Amino acid sequence: TGHSPQVKAFVTQDIPFYHNLEMKHLPGADPELVLLSLRYEELERIPLSDMTREEINQLVQELGFYRKETPDAPVPEEFQFAPAKSLPILRPPEAPTADGKTPPKHDKEEHLDL
């Protein structure tokens, strides 16, 4: 199985733009995208061999990978850990109060100076 020119173009030309996207080349293996959690647990594998370069670009962006303006461009703070799908623990859903309204945001900050 040879790498399709589409996948090769993505690997050589597009991957440098993506933050946290790395290519590990396994000789003879079909190219696939392996999604890892922050603890490096494998989440899923997506085979790329039948996809066009455009489809792969679309896929990694849908997965939440941040595409930089240039390969050396700085990555905004909020994208440092992108794709953030692997970070569900940091954002617990807001618990509604008894009357069903979510508590006002500024509530916590008022008590910081105690």
Side-chain angles (χ1 to χ4, degrees):
T1 51
H3 290 316
S4 79
Q6 294 281 340
V7 175
K8 208 181 191 106
F10 172 78
V11 169
T12 54
Q13 294 163 49
D14 294 314
I15 280 186
F17 285 91
Y18 286 102
H19 180 58
N20 287 347
L21 188 58
E22 284 171 36
M23 183 66 189
K24 296 200 173 16
H25 187 72
L26 303 172
D30 279 339
E32 46 185 11
L33 184 62
V34 181
L35 299 178
L36 299 175
S37 73
L38 278 184
R39 292 192 290 281
Y40 295 98
E41 296 157 340
E42 198 174 297
L43 301 176
E44 59 178 313
R45 283 176 178 252
I46 303 166
L48 300 179
S49 27
D50 300 330
M51 297 173 69
T52 66
R53 176 181 175 184
E54 202 172 300
E55 287 172 330
I56 302 171
N57 270 296
Q58 203 177 336
L59 170 73
V60 290
Q61 287 178 46
E62 278 170 11
L63 290 169
F65 285 96
Y66 175 70
R67 188 181 170 108
K68 300 176 279 190
E69 297 298 311
T70 65
D72 301 324
V75 176
E77 187 102 351
E78 65 266 32
F79 292 111
Q80 284 298 331
F81 296 107
K85 282 197 175 65
S86 50
L87 293 174
I89 326 141
L90 297 183
R91 286 207 205 106
E94 252 179 59
T97 48
D99 60 355
K101 292 195 184 72
T102 50
K105 289 262 184 290
H106 55 76
D107 206 34
K108 298 185 187 71
E109 290 154 27
E110 289 169 4
H111 310 296
L112 288 181
D113 52 0
L114 293 179

